Amino acid sequence: MFGLYKGIGSPMMGLTFINAIVFGVQGNAMRYLGQDTPMNQFLAGAAAGTIQCVICCPMELAKTRMQMQGTGEKKSKRKLYKNSLDCLARIYKREGLSGVNRGMVTTLIRETPGFGVYFLAYDVLTRSIGCEPDDPYMIPKLLFAGGMSGIASWLSTYPVDVIKSRLQADGVGGVYQYTSIADCVRQSVRREGLRVFTRGLTSTLLRAFPVNAATFATVTLVLLYARGVEEGPKDCELGPPNTAHHTQLPQQTQASSL
């Protein structure tokens, strides 16, 4: 049963910081951009996705290596890594900083547009379905918008994730198959065809909906009630208030973006 949770230590350590960075950077970027438009939501999300790669790449490397350790064995006879931190420490000792950041380029290619689509989709959905604080269906709407945003984000960049995962898994046991991103793409397509870019997509999407539904709904609700419903935004968009519909609030309580 524990085999289903192999590598959980790395996400447990990293996701708290990643979400803090993502929503913090996105909110500050929206304040800097000024206007709450779909394009600005995309740009702010892309900026957030880029910066969080500093944590995301090593975290996913450790997760991948931990998950591959002892593959196919109920009890591993020989464990190379004790835990996620030990995994990163050993990789750093053997390969240096470049080893810890293996797959960084593909992570940037995935996360930058991926988070742009993530926040853009959430913005468009919340505008479309409406989400008033006194709406009895507010929470289901938040969950739906968050879940669908996660699915849209993964669909937009999943082929890149396949290549990133293969590059990060490469070198386990000291054997390297790929010399570069292009070489990984060439070998993968030659062996498995174009369908290689959708391998594992179903399980990823099944995970994406509940995870992102919970994430967006929780962040939005906490901020909404922390600001005070009477002073907060009249919808659930993660952006500055629409001055055409809301009066200007004092700087301390103005409901700006996340």
Side-chain angles (χ1 to χ4, degrees):
M1 192 65 183
F2 287 111
L4 297 174
Y5 295 92
K6 284 179 72 174
I8 195 174
S10 181
M12 290 281 284
M13 288 188 297
L15 283 173
T16 301
F17 299 105
I18 285 174
N19 282 319
I21 290 171
V22 165
F23 286 99
V25 171
Q26 191 269 349
N28 281 292
M30 284 299 295
R31 275 190 284 273
Y32 177 78
L33 292 168
Q35 291 183 311
D36 182 11
T37 64
M39 178 54 70
N40 283 350
Q41 289 283 354
F42 178 86
L43 293 174
T50 300
I51 293 173
Q52 61 89 41
C53 286
V54 176
I55 296 176
C56 177
C57 182
M59 182 197 80
E60 294 199 349
L61 175 67
K63 183 190 73 171
T64 300
R65 296 292 175 93
M66 289 295 294
Q67 287 178 338
M68 292 194 67
Q69 183 172 243
T71 301
E73 301 175 5
K74 189 171 183 180
K75 288 187 178 179
S76 301
K77 297 182 179 69
R78 177 176 171 271
K79 286 189 176 182
L80 183 60
Y81 311 120
K82 297 176 185 175
N83 51 51
S84 298
L85 284 176
D86 180 59
C87 175
L88 289 174
R90 286 175 178 269
I91 292 172
Y92 179 78
K93 188 176 180 180
R94 192 170 59 248
E95 304 175 45
L97 198 59
S98 61
V100 173
N101 289 299
R102 185 174 181 82
M104 178 62 81
V105 174
T106 43
T107 302
L108 282 166
I109 295 171
R110 181 193 72 178
E111 299 293 80
T112 301
F115 272 97
V117 172
Y118 189 48
F119 284 97
L120 171 64
Y122 187 75
D123 181 65
V124 170
L125 282 169
T126 51
R127 289 175 189 271
S128 301
I129 62 178
C131 199
E132 303 294 333
D134 57 354
D135 186 343
Y137 300 106
M138 181 183 71
I139 292 177
K141 286 179 179 180
L142 285 175
L143 292 169
F144 174 76
M148 293 307 295
S149 300
I151 287 176
S153 176
W154 274 108
L155 286 173
S156 67
T157 58
Y158 191 76
V160 182
D161 182 69
V162 172
I163 300 303
K164 179 204 71 72
S165 298
R166 292 187 174 214
L167 286 171
Q168 290 187 326
D170 194 32
V172 174
V175 180
Y176 290 91
Q177 289 181 276
Y178 312 118
T179 57
S180 65
I181 297 171
D183 182 55
C184 180
V185 173
R186 270 195 305 269
Q187 288 195 45
S188 299
V189 172
R190 186 168 62 244
R191 285 198 307 264
E192 303 169 56
L194 293 175
R195 290 181 62 186
V196 69
F197 295 118
T198 58
R199 288 193 65 175
L201 179 60
T202 302
S203 57
T204 299
L205 296 183
L206 287 173
R207 177 192 67 184
F209 189 93
V211 167
N212 293 290
T215 299
F216 258 126
T218 302
V219 171
T220 304
L221 286 171
V222 167
L223 287 177
L224 186 66
Y225 289 107
R227 292 166 178 158
V229 175
E230 71 283 354
E231 295 179 339
K234 297 303 180 184
D235 55 28
C236 300
E237 296 164 22
L238 305 182
N242 185 340
T243 53
H245 295 85
H246 311 304
T247 57
Q248 191 74 6
L249 298 172
Q251 186 63 34
Q252 292 84 352
T253 59
Q254 184 176 343
S256 58
S257 72
L258 285 171

